[in-house]
Amino acid sequence: TRKESSAASDVYKRQASGGAGTIQHFVDVFTEGKADAALAASVFHFGEIAINDLKQELRSNQINIRL
């Protein structure tokens, strides 16, 4: 229904998916792109970025993350 889709869109207004190749790309998508959520897979799957390194850098840039 219209009400349900409105409520869902209030949760994440901007999502970014794919294209990240560096930790800085993630920082930029939140700070410059104003994304509310970002997702990626291959950079983690192939070991290009360590999840803990990314989380540490996001926290150091005052970007809220799930633990």
Side-chain angles (χ1 to χ4, degrees):
T1 67
R2 184 179 185 120
K3 185 175 183 180
E4 290 171 340
S5 58
S6 175
S9 67
D10 289 341
V11 176
Y12 293 115
K13 296 184 175 148
R14 292 185 188 106
Q15 296 178 354
S17 176
T22 67
I23 289 176
Q24 188 61 46
H25 290 154
F26 285 92
V27 173
D28 292 346
V29 78
F30 291 111
T31 58
E32 295 176 23
K34 306 298 183 201
D36 297 298
L39 54 132
S42 62
V43 292
F44 305 121
H45 178 74
F46 294 112
E48 296 169 17
I49 296 175
I51 293 171
N52 287 334
D53 292 346
L54 175 60
K55 287 183 173 186
Q56 182 177 1
E57 186 64 23
L58 293 175
R59 282 193 301 260
S60 74
N61 281 276
Q62 291 76 47
I63 298 167
N64 292 327
I65 62 164
R66 288 191 212 177
L67 298 176

